[in-house]
Amino acid sequence: MKIAAVQMVATPDVDRNIADARRLVALAADAGARLVALPEYFCLMGQRDDDKLAIAEADGDGPIQAFLADTARRHGIWLVGGTLPIRAATPDRVRNACCVYGPSGARVARYDKIHLFAFDNGRERYDEGRVLEAGSEPVAFDADGFRVGLSVCYDLRFPELYRALMQPACDLLVVPAAFTYTTGQAHWELLLRARAVENQCHVLASAQGGLHENGRRTWGHSMVIDPWGEVLAVQAEGEGLAIADAAIERRNAVREQLPALAHRRL
């Protein structure tokens, strides 16, 4: 199955971001991608963290979700909709939700980001917990014979989430993200390849990548990685695609040659 990571440099303008996402997904579909993943916050990189509250949608209803459903149906693809803000039970909070749509346009999965990013190096300061309400449950779905596990950005640092997604084992792990330039330069590829190697499956990582209008700079480097940890495709910076074939045969070969998953003791 050909898979594609869409890389964007999203803006504070939702309509412009959706237009860019529509164009890039179409390019991926035209190139033969059967499963396409948008980045985290593909619909909005606001001036302030709480700008998300103004565009938050009810679960299952809203123009951003409608765009994702329509786009999946139009191209007949599996579309991992990066993330969008969905209203939470807690006042003044939203869920950072990854919604997945099948070729019919029906939603097949929703994963709410579990781990909320916080970082302060004296120059950059982030605290997602001020606006986000954390999710609690790992989520996977089936697509064309692949079991696909979902995660978002900061989740990448928590291998126990991916172990939970391996029961039953996934064939592909998807990671929409908006890694900062600082943390991405240090850890992004290292962690993605580690998740691929330790779980012996493909990884599809779709990222924000560039200097945004709000002044934030994201690392980019959207990637497709195989179960041996080999990087098959990368989009370093700026909008574009990382696209490659994910083969069950490759996963099987790696697991047969080095049956590490069967050797687990803890």
Side-chain angles (χ1 to χ4, degrees), residues 51-58 61 64 84-88 93-94:
D51 287 350
K52 302 176 186 69
L53 302 176
I55 69 159
E57 297 184 351
D61 180 35
I64 302 171
L84 72 149
I86 289 183
R87 293 173 196 149
R93 294 287 189 278
V94 295

Side-chain angles (χ1 to χ4, degrees), residues 114-130:
I114 291 174
H115 301 98
L116 302 185
F117 180 56
F119 179 70
D120 186 350
N121 66 358
R123 301 181 307 277
E124 303 168 87
R125 182 176 294 109
Y126 303 94
D127 183 3
E128 290 187 326
R130 293 194 308 106

Side-chain angles (χ1 to χ4, degrees), residues 6 17-29 33-34 36 38 42 63-81 101-106:
V6 172
N17 296 331
I18 287 178
D20 288 342
R22 179 181 291 112
R23 174 173 49 82
L24 290 164
V25 171
L27 288 175
R34 179 66 175 163
V36 180
L38 289 163
F42 80 93
I64 302 171
Q65 292 169 86
F67 155 73
L68 293 170
D70 291 345
T71 301
R73 180 172 55 249
R74 178 178 302 111
H75 296 292
I77 59 172
W78 301 90
L79 181 59
V80 180
Y101 297 83
S104 70

Side-chain angles (χ1 to χ4, degrees), residues 128-171:
E128 290 187 326
R130 293 194 308 106
V131 173
L132 298 185
E133 179 182 84
S136 59
E137 297 297 327
V139 174
F141 67 98
D142 295 313
D144 291 356
F146 281 69
R147 183 149 182 83
V148 183
L150 298 174
S151 59
V152 174
C153 201
Y154 191 48
D155 285 333
L156 186 58
R157 296 182 181 275
F158 300 89
E160 59 271 25
L161 170 62
Y162 297 91
R163 283 307 198 202
L165 285 168
M166 298 302 288
Q167 300 174 359
C170 288
D171 309 298

